[in-house]
Amino acid sequence: MKKPTKNKEWFENEDFWRETYPFMFPEERIASADDTVQKALSLANVKGKSALDLCCGPGRCSIALSRRGFSVTGVDRTKFLLDKARARARVAKVSIEWFRADMRDFVRPESYDLALSMFTSFGYFENRGEDEKVLSNVFQSLRPGGAFLLEMMGKEILAKIFQPSSAETLPDGSMLVDRHQIIDDWSRVQNEWTIIRMGKVRKFNFKLNLYSGRELLEKMEQAGFDPVQLYGNMNGDVYGPNAKRLVAVGRKPKRSVSRT
Ligand SMILES: C[S@@+](CC[C@H](N)C(=O)[O-])C[C@H]1O[C@@H](n2cnc3c(N)ncnc32)[C@H](O)[C@@H]1O
């Protein structure tokens, strides 16, 4: 009997990352990584020089960290994006370990002083327990005293700016039509992106788990991070009504026991 095939999860679709690459990672966003990493370093305030860039994508932050003398592991599950990262690192003449893995599986006990999860790379799993597994993996992978900085869209911010649909013309002349729905009592946002490029229409559906500041902080505390500090942007402003992003910095205590 044929084995039933499990439906692919949205983030496993390489076409999604290939088709969205031109507007998800324009040159300005790649160039801004240097400034972002500088800010991440001042918020995380770590002593050591070993870093994990979790869900590194095309390696923007990995390369910026490496340029600052960090020894970096860039982890991502998308081959297309890791190939981009490798090519960029070659041009930048930096040496980085690129590792293809799912964030639910990647653990390297006590190997890093700093871990980053940037640009909404968290909240991808239908089962929230898997988000918790990611936090626990990062906690285990940090050295005592190390820090995890996570930067994403927060639920409070989305509630403030939410629009059910929008359309924009992209720099390459293609068109992006977004439709969003808040589902499961504000637990998730369901997105439908339609890209019209040279007369060809591609549609992608994906869901993201939503976390309020408090919810994220509690999840990080449950994973063992102590303390956890929230910010409303990478400048370290308060996570309040004017927040633009949800930024959480969790520290692994100098002496700690993993709780999960
Ligand atoms: C929005 S991009 C952010 C990329 C990068 N952090 C940045 O700041 O440019 C999200 C990244 O998560 C990766 N990703 C998605 N699901 C993943 C999973 N389950 N395990 C590991 N990486 C995953 C994607 O391939 C993509 O590179």
Side-chain angles (χ1 to χ4, degrees):
M1 206 171 76
K2 217 174 149 197
K3 234 172 128 188
T5 46
K6 191 174 169 273
N7 274 346
K8 263 195 180 177
E9 294 181 86
W10 66 267
F11 51 81
E12 293 177 315
N13 180 2
E14 295 254 339
D15 273 359
F16 171 80
W17 300 105
R18 195 175 291 111
E19 292 287 331
T20 58
Y21 186 82
F23 60 90
M24 210 181 282
F25 301 107
E27 281 308 316
E28 311 83 77
R29 179 158 290 135
I30 299 216
S32 71
D34 217 46
D35 181 53
T36 306
V37 161
Q38 186 56 48
K39 289 172 173 167
L41 292 176
S42 49
L43 291 179
N45 188 25
V46 290
K47 301 272 176 295
K49 288 272 185 181
S50 175
L52 167 65
D53 185 9
L54 191 63
C55 302
C56 62
R60 345 174 272 132
C61 296
S62 310
I63 292 171
L65 282 165
S66 180
R67 282 191 174 129
R68 285 177 163 74
F70 277 79
S71 136
V72 184
T73 306
V75 172
D76 205 282
R77 76 170 315 290
T78 309
K79 183 181 177 305
F80 169 76
L81 292 173
L82 279 178
D83 288 346
K84 293 274 184 200
R86 270 192 200 96
R88 285 191 175 277
R90 225 173 287 127
V91 173
K93 295 191 170 46
V94 291
S95 168
I96 290 170
E97 181 198 12
W98 303 110
F99 197 91
R100 188 161 181 220
D102 192 293
M103 61 177 133
R104 289 167 289 188
D105 303 325
F106 184 84
V107 189
R108 260 190 208 165
E110 306 214 345
S111 302
Y112 303 101
D113 305 297
L114 172 70
L116 297 181
S117 168
M118 305 299 289
F119 190 29
T120 311
S121 298
F122 184 75
Y124 287 9
F125 308 113
E126 201 74 31
N127 170 356
R128 275 175 187 251
E130 297 188 318
D131 285 348
E132 290 166 20
K133 175 81 170 57
V134 173
L135 296 177
S136 162
N137 289 348
V138 174
F139 185 81
Q140 289 176 60
S141 299
L142 283 174
R143 295 182 177 136
F148 179 33
L149 186 148
L150 197 155
E151 185 262 345
M152 64 188 292
M153 173 53 70
K155 192 189 282 187
E156 295 88 346
I157 307 167
L158 187 63
K160 192 172 162 189
I161 64 172
F162 185 78
Q163 290 188 344
S165 63
S166 64
E168 60 182 304
T169 304
L170 303 172
D172 68 354
S174 51
M175 180 123 184
L176 171 67
V177 182
D178 295 358
R179 293 206 298 171
H180 314 281
Q181 242 183 303
I182 300 298
I183 57 169
D184 302 339
D185 304 324
W186 266 103
S187 325
R188 282 181 237 280
V189 56
Q190 181 170 294
N191 304 291
E192 180 197 86
W193 284 6
T194 307
I195 302 166
I196 307 158
R197 187 172 285 136
M198 295 201 286
K200 211 173 134 200
V201 179
R202 299 291 314 263
K203 220 181 256 287
F204 298 100
N205 289 293
F206 61 102
K207 290 180 197 166
L208 294 175
N209 293 332
L210 293 172
Y211 288 90
S212 69
R214 188 76 220 165
E215 286 164 346
L216 182 63
L217 182 142
E218 284 177 2
K219 290 280 173 225
M220 290 179 72
E221 283 180 348
Q222 278 160 21
F225 292 98
D226 181 19
V228 179
Q229 185 72 51
L230 300 184
Y231 303 99
N233 56 34
M234 291 298 293
N235 294 325
D237 292 325
V238 58
Y239 190 67
N242 297 322
K244 298 279 182 266
R245 305 286 291 168
L246 170 54
V247 179
V249 178
R251 196 153 309 270
K252 178 167 179 167
K254 289 247 161 68
R255 282 175 196 283
S256 70
V257 180
S258 175
R259 297 189 196 163
T260 45

